[in-house]
Amino acid sequence: MSTQTAWPTGVIARYLTVGGATVDLTHRLTVHNPPKPFATLASCAGCPATEEVSHYRTNWGSEEHNPEAADADARIWAQSHAETCRALPKPTA
Ligand SMILES: [Zn+2]
């Protein structure tokens, strides 16, 4: 999709806020080689708000790796933040 080529590398989802900024979802990567995603990060370009959701979650005492659930939680946060954030995007220098 050529319309998505303007997205920064690694952005898996982008939400437009009511203020005209964007909330980007990216995966945080480990420093291992090859890097492996360990969390999903939602970050607002208009204000300092961020939300990091770990791909590892404890469920009934055992740790499970669930990146899809982390993505889903991050999307919910990004969606609700986009609906309320009125910060304008930072001017690009
Ligand atoms: Zn914001």
Side-chain angles (χ1 to χ4, degrees):
M1 297 243 281
S2 59
T3 53
Q4 294 186 352
T5 53
W7 285 21
T9 307
V11 173
I12 57 174
R14 173 168 275 189
Y15 293 81
L16 181 66
T17 70
V18 289
T22 53
V23 182
D24 283 349
L25 262 61
T26 53
H27 281 155
R28 299 208 58 205
L29 302 176
T30 64
V31 294
H32 301 126
N33 189 20
K36 292 178 70 177
F38 68 92
T40 304
L41 180 71
S43 173
C44 181
C47 75
T50 61
E51 175 79 354
E52 184 177 312
V53 185
S54 175
H55 288 185
Y56 297 89
R57 49 183 60 198
T58 304
N59 194 17
W60 299 100
S62 67
E63 189 178 66
E64 61 180 30
H65 182 228
N66 197 335
E68 290 81 14
D71 282 358
D73 284 355
R75 284 173 189 272
I76 290 168
W77 183 92
Q79 176 102 42
S80 67
H81 182 79
E83 286 169 359
T84 56
C85 181
R86 296 187 173 276
L88 293 171
K90 287 178 200 143
T92 46

